[in-house]
């Protein structure tokens, strides 16, 4: 009776590192989401690095405390960074509700997932709404793509007077224009990501209401979308730091 000899190499192929079972136990879709978020992080990093380079390459720059010192509809001046602070708090709280939604999904608690997803969507809508209000207010003051409050004015005196409220030191038309372009580009790009996140959250909510995840037996899709939402919140922390604090 013959016996089969198994080589050491064949024994290795039967081990847990052979490719049949992932040592990290990660689902394919979650890995792909991480790849996307890393690539997107490079895009935001490029924007913010360019903003920082422009800011420190110029002899003077706009003072954010003077640009963002209003609460639209309540106070025109004297409240630096209060409104954007409220926006930031809303977005961070929406990240907390997303964590609770993911946790409810791990427990297969359909009703809790619905409740916390609704709060997350509401937080996202409030943030985008506040950003739209801020954009409208700045546009009313003369800031926009390719424009600042001194655009179209003739004479150095008129330009200095128009930009004086936004600078603490030397006044620069070029710096004000660069600030305006970069602010609306970067915050707009982030706002676009938030809007996409809201749409994804609404789709996930509809799938939950339709018992899609109950039939699948897993709420893993909630966790995947949660990764995207947390990424959007994290990016805002850096945008907030670069534009409003530094």
């Amino acid at each position: 009776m013959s016996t089969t000899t198994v080589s050491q190499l064949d024994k290795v192929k039967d081990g847990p590192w052979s490719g049949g079972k992932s040592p990290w136990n990660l689902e394919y879709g979650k890995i792909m989401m991480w790849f996307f978020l890393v690539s997107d992080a490079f895009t935001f990093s490029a924007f913010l690095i360019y903003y920082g380079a422009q800011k420190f390459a110029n002899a003077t720059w706009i003072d954010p405390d003077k640009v963002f010192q209003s609460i639209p509809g309540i106070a025109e001046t004297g409240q630096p960074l209060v409104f954007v602070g409220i926006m930031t708090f809303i977005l961070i709280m929406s990240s907390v509700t997303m964590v609770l939604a993911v946790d409810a999904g791990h427990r297969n608690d359909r009703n809790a997932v619905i409740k916390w997803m609704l709060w997350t969507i509401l937080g996202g809508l409030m943030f985008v709404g506040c950003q739209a209000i801020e954009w409208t207010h700045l546009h009313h003051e003369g800031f926009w793509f390719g424009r600042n409050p001194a655009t179209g004015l003739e004479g150095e005196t008129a330009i200095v007077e128009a930009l004086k409220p936004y600078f603490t030191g030397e006044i620069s038309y070029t710096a004000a224009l660069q600030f305006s372009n970069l602010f609306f580009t970067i915050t707009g790009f982030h706002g676009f990501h938030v809007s996409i996140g809201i749409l994804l959250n609404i789709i996930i909510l509809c799938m939950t209401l339709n018992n899609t995840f109950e039939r699948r037996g897993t709420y893993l899709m909630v966790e995947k979308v949660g990764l995207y939402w947390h990424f959007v919140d994290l990016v805002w922390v850096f945008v907030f730091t670069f534009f409003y604090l530094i």
Side-chain angles (χ1 to χ4, degrees):
M1 184 175 182
S2 63
T3 59
T4 303
T5 303
V6 180
S7 68
Q8 289 297 321
L9 182 60
D10 290 331
K11 289 182 179 180
V12 171
K13 289 181 179 179
D14 293 333
W17 290 82
S18 62
K21 180 179 179 182
S22 170
W24 296 285
N25 197 29
L26 289 177
E27 190 262 345
Y28 174 80
K30 192 186 293 186
I31 294 176
M32 292 301 103
M33 176 60 78
W34 275 111
F35 282 158
F36 167 74
L37 296 181
V38 170
S39 64
D40 212 23
F42 285 127
T43 305
F44 276 105
S45 297
F47 275 130
L48 293 176
I49 290 171
Y50 180 75
Y51 173 80
Q54 290 299 312
K55 179 175 181 178
F56 291 106
N58 283 272
T60 185
W61 198 256
I62 276 185
D63 185 350
D65 286 345
K66 293 192 173 184
V67 177
F68 308 106
Q69 62 171 324
S70 66
I71 304 177
I74 299 178
E76 288 297 320
T77 60
Q79 305 295 328
L81 306 183
V82 172
F83 187 67
V84 71
I86 295 173
M87 291 171 54
T88 303
F89 176 78
I90 291 172
L91 194 61
I92 290 175
M93 289 307 298
S94 74
S95 191
V96 173
T97 57
M98 177 58 82
V99 169
L100 295 173
V102 172
D103 178 68
H106 289 162
R107 294 183 281 105
N108 292 320
D109 189 340
R110 174 178 175 272
N111 292 332
V113 171
I114 293 172
K115 177 179 70 173
W116 295 120
M117 288 301 296
L118 281 171
W119 279 111
T120 303
I121 293 168
L122 178 61
L125 290 172
M126 290 176 65
F127 177 83
V128 172
C130 288
Q131 192 170 56
I133 293 172
E134 183 182 52
W135 272 36
T136 302
H137 178 75
L138 291 176
H139 183 264
H140 178 73
E141 291 191 350
F143 292 98
W144 195 239
F145 293 99
R147 289 182 53 197
N148 65 43
T151 299
L153 298 180
E154 296 183 0
E156 184 177 352
T157 302
I159 293 175
V160 169
E161 287 300 319
L163 295 178
K164 188 176 181 180
Y166 309 106
F167 286 84
T168 54
E170 183 182 350
I171 295 171
S172 170
Y173 177 87
T174 302
L177 190 61
Q178 289 176 330
F179 171 84
S180 185
N181 286 335
L182 289 169
F183 174 79
F184 287 108
T185 298
I186 295 175
T187 59
F189 190 57
H190 177 266
F192 172 75
H193 278 71
V194 175
S195 300
I196 294 298
I198 294 171
L199 179 60
L200 292 175
N201 287 337
I202 291 174
I203 293 173
I204 293 300
L205 175 62
C206 293
M207 294 176 71
T208 305
L209 291 170
N210 198 37
N211 292 321
T212 301
F213 304 125
E214 286 288 321
R215 291 192 295 269
R216 291 181 182 177
T218 177
Y219 283 81
L220 183 60
M221 188 63 72
V222 179
E223 186 174 352
K224 295 177 189 176
V225 175
L227 289 173
Y228 177 85
W229 194 255
H230 296 320
F231 169 78
V232 169
D233 289 0
L234 179 61
V235 167
W236 177 252
V237 172
F238 287 96
V239 174
F240 174 78
T241 302
F242 271 70
F243 275 102
Y244 299 92
L245 298 181
I246 297 179

